[in-house]
Amino acid sequence: MTPVFSPPLHRQRHQFVIDFVKRHKPKKVVDLGCSECCLLKKLKFHREIELLVGVDLNGAIIKKKMHGLAPVSTDYLQPSYDQLRIELYQGSVTQKDMRLRGFDLVTSIELIEHLTLDDVERFSEVVFGYMTPVAVIVSTPNFEFNPLLPVLAGFRHSDHKFEWTRAEFQSWALKVCLQYGYEVEFTGVGKAPPGQHERVGFCSQIGVFHRLGGRKSCNTLFDDDAEDVFSYTLLYSINYPSLRDNNILRRVLVSEVLYWAEKLKRRCMEEKTGKRDEAYMLSQTEEGAEECLRASEQCMEMEEKQTGEHPESSENCLEQCSGGVPEVQEGEDEDVFWTNRKGQQESCILHRSVSVPLAVLWSCCPKVSALSGSLSNLRHLLMDEPNVKLSQDGSAVLLQEQEEEEDNDVEDSGYGEASQCSHSAEQEGDWEANV
Ligand code: SAM
């Protein structure tokens, strides 16, 4: 009976490594004989890994697909706190390179059978004796399974120098363990048809090695055996964007702050004017609208705490948050929530601004508080940001009302263009009453 592997055998081997990574959470992983980087491309999604390295003798094969390891747009738009660096080297596993020491996991998937037996000895010394990783996964074809493979004469690949039986593989592995201080478990992937497993074993046999003494035995070995060897050629390296990079943290924080400040501003404007920006509302999720509402309520609560009075509407809240200053004048205190039409008359749009207190942003926007850690840190991080305008005392973000909204206001209220920068005393009175 011809065995059919589903999923395909190469995927089962990679899945075996991924399952190991999920269980053991290694931080530094190197894949020896990485070929076209297929396994690395899967491993990069496991963000407990901080350093992911691939090595292959064939530099051309690495270069063919290595750009598939680059970050994608979402990695830049929504960077995580996790750090990830990827490095690819051209080099031979029979040679030492000190950059590969101290790893948590080394994988060697269908590689050793491409080496001569002498080179397998060198491989053992380099991997187990020099690199001394915490764990090693080695997979290689199981020769005993070959009769079950369709139309196979000889080895599974023309470049294979040998294919071992289970006994041969185990004999090599146990010798390595004795020599370099490891223990090994034998397993595999690619099951034989029912009733034949005992006789032939897995199609790909796998040895999982663990260093005796675990992580802590590694450092001692290093100190005694330091050798500055750099025999590999670096072909590719990339650092994934991470929020631990201060510049990235600031960029994400600024966009989050501006997004939420804008949202709150619109909410407040709706409260004031009783009008809804339908286009904007359509773009919001239910959740977003709710958050906005909560923010307004929090603003009112803050006011209540400060004044001891319950605000009747969020308009009052805006006024109180503004410190009661009705209008921004150049050189004056800019801590104002909403300017009146008089201000607009003097300088049209420039003086129509909305002030969103950082305290409100910090307490009602979970991402803003998570990114900044504390209110004072938020202020500190925004202080020198050219894209964020803070009030003079640094306690609020100042936003300009957009021209577009102004046009809408005019259209909606039925006033002609001529009235945009000129308002009657009655209108001024209205604004003042509302601010
Ligand atoms: N590990 C890959 C995977 O799981 O997709 C497949 C490996 S492929 C069958 C064997 C790879 O080993 C080839 O890319 C070959 O260039 C590489 N190789 C052969 N001899 C090597 C050596 N001495 N050092 C490093 N890589 C070697």
Side-chain angles (χ1 to χ4, degrees):
M1 185 183 162
T2 304
V4 176
F5 296 115
S6 177
L9 200 56
H10 68 276
R11 279 208 208 132
Q12 291 191 37
R13 289 191 289 260
H14 291 173
Q15 191 56 47
F16 182 91
V17 174
I18 288 162
D19 291 342
F20 183 93
V21 164
K22 282 184 186 161
R23 280 197 310 278
H24 294 270
K25 309 203 179 314
K27 284 191 164 61
K28 295 167 81 177
V29 178
V30 54
D31 184 31
L32 303 177
C34 63
S35 191
E36 293 183 347
C37 310
C38 296
L39 178 57
L40 297 174
K41 281 176 197 158
K42 292 174 186 165
L43 289 174
K44 77 169 192 161
F45 294 106
H46 296 268
R47 298 299 294 268
E48 56 274 350
I49 298 175
E50 292 176 1
L51 178 60
L52 190 55
V53 175
V55 178
D56 203 287
L57 186 62
N58 186 341
I61 207 164
I62 291 184
K63 285 182 189 165
K64 220 161 93 181
K65 299 274 176 78
M66 67 186 184
H67 294 290
L69 287 165
V72 293
S73 50
T74 44
D75 293 313
Y76 289 103
L77 292 170
Q78 294 181 326
S80 71
Y81 277 99
D82 306 316
Q83 286 172 304
L84 173 62
R85 177 172 172 77
I86 298 180
E87 295 173 358
L88 299 176
Y89 294 96
Q90 189 265 315
S92 173
V93 294
T94 58
Q95 289 185 316
K96 298 172 181 173
D97 188 297
M98 69 173 300
R99 287 166 291 191
L100 296 196
R101 304 189 85 195
F103 277 66
D104 300 303
L105 174 63
V106 169
T107 57
S108 164
I109 306 302
E110 306 297 277
L111 162 66
I112 57 172
E113 64 277 6
H114 292 268
L115 309 176
T116 62
L117 288 175
D118 283 346
D119 278 348
V120 173
E121 287 305 305
R122 290 187 192 99
F123 165 88
S124 309
E125 196 207 328
V126 168
V127 174
F128 296 93
Y130 178 78
M131 290 166 64
T132 63
V134 179
V136 184
I137 298 175
V138 177
S139 90
T140 191
N142 168 17
F143 186 71
E144 291 165 89
F145 199 98
N146 284 1
L148 297 183
L149 296 173
V151 288
L152 180 69
F155 291 154
R156 296 182 196 177
H157 191 279
S158 57
D159 188 51
H160 286 182
K161 309 296 186 296
F162 61 86
E163 285 178 1
W164 278 337
T165 62
R166 285 172 289 174
E168 286 168 325
F169 179 53
Q170 290 173 14
S171 150
W172 166 78
L174 292 169
K175 198 175 127 209
V176 160
C177 287
L178 270 179
Q179 208 167 347
Y180 300 107
Y182 281 79
E183 59 190 0
V184 62
E185 291 160 39
F186 297 105
T187 179
V189 292
K191 279 194 176 142
Q196 300 200 50
H197 180 75
E198 197 71 5
R199 188 173 60 82
V200 297
F202 289 104
C203 189
S204 281
Q205 49 187 339
I206 296 178
V208 181
F209 300 77
H210 290 275
R211 197 177 57 222
L212 297 174
R215 278 169 207 274
K216 57 182 190 313
S217 61
C218 167
N219 295 337
T220 334
L221 280 169
F222 269 13
D223 294 342
D224 297 346
D225 189 29
E227 256 183 76
D228 288 358
V229 192
F230 296 91
S231 60
Y232 296 174
T233 307
L234 182 67
L235 297 180
Y236 180 81
S237 69
I238 184 90
N239 285 321
Y240 269 60
S242 161
L243 291 170
R244 289 189 221 186
D245 175 331
N246 221 22
N247 289 332
I248 291 169
L249 175 77
R250 272 171 197 267
R251 179 175 57 73
V252 174
L253 181 68
V254 164
S255 80
E256 204 66 23
V257 160
L258 291 176
Y259 169 78
W260 280 99
E262 187 66 29
K263 216 168 176 177
L264 292 169
K265 178 191 88 175
R266 283 174 185 267
R267 172 78 196 172
C268 294
M269 286 166 65
E270 283 167 18
E271 294 281 339
K272 286 181 72 65
T273 59
K275 276 193 287 174
R276 284 193 159 210
D277 181 340
E278 296 300 338
Y280 178 71
M281 290 309 289
L282 281 174
S283 72
Q284 287 197 84
T285 60
E286 287 286 312
E287 197 189 350
E290 288 234 329
E291 281 161 351
C292 238
L293 185 62
R294 277 204 301 279
S296 273
E297 285 163 356
Q298 281 186 8
C299 188
M300 285 191 221
E301 279 167 23
M302 278 176 51
E303 179 204 348
E304 202 175 348
K305 273 186 206 145
Q306 280 166 12
T307 63
E309 285 170 27
H310 184 75
E312 283 174 13
S313 74
S314 55
E315 280 174 21
N316 291 9
C317 154
L318 303 184
E319 185 186 1
Q320 292 293 335
C321 288
S322 76
V325 184
E327 183 185 338
V328 180
Q329 294 288 347
E330 222 163 297
E332 280 188 19
D333 189 359
E334 287 179 340
D335 189 12
V336 64
F337 225 100
W338 189 261
T339 63
N340 61 11
R341 292 277 174 181
K342 206 168 158 190
Q344 187 197 12
Q345 204 171 359
E346 284 165 12
S347 63
C348 275
I349 304 158
L350 268 181
H351 284 171
R352 294 185 62 176
S353 62
V354 176
S355 158
V356 182
L358 291 187
V360 172
L361 281 167
W362 194 83
S363 62
C364 75
C365 315
K367 200 163 172 193
V368 170
S369 48
L371 288 166
S372 56
S374 70
L375 184 54
S376 62
N377 205 29
L378 174 62
R379 188 173 302 151
H380 178 74
L381 285 163
L382 296 178
M383 212 116 78
D384 300 322
E385 275 302 327
N387 296 326
V388 178
K389 192 172 180 217
L390 289 185
S391 58
Q392 241 173 25
D393 67 357
S395 70
V397 175
L398 297 180
L399 296 174
Q400 294 251 315
E401 186 185 357
Q402 287 164 5
E403 207 165 346
E404 187 184 275
E405 288 163 11
E406 191 169 17
D407 290 340
N408 288 343
D409 278 358
V410 171
E411 267 176 37
D412 290 352
S413 60
Y415 291 126
E417 262 179 41
S419 66
Q420 277 188 50
C421 294
S422 163
H423 299 274
S424 68
E426 206 178 45
Q427 284 171 289
E428 285 169 21
D430 285 350
W431 268 110
E432 262 167 3
N434 289 328
V435 174

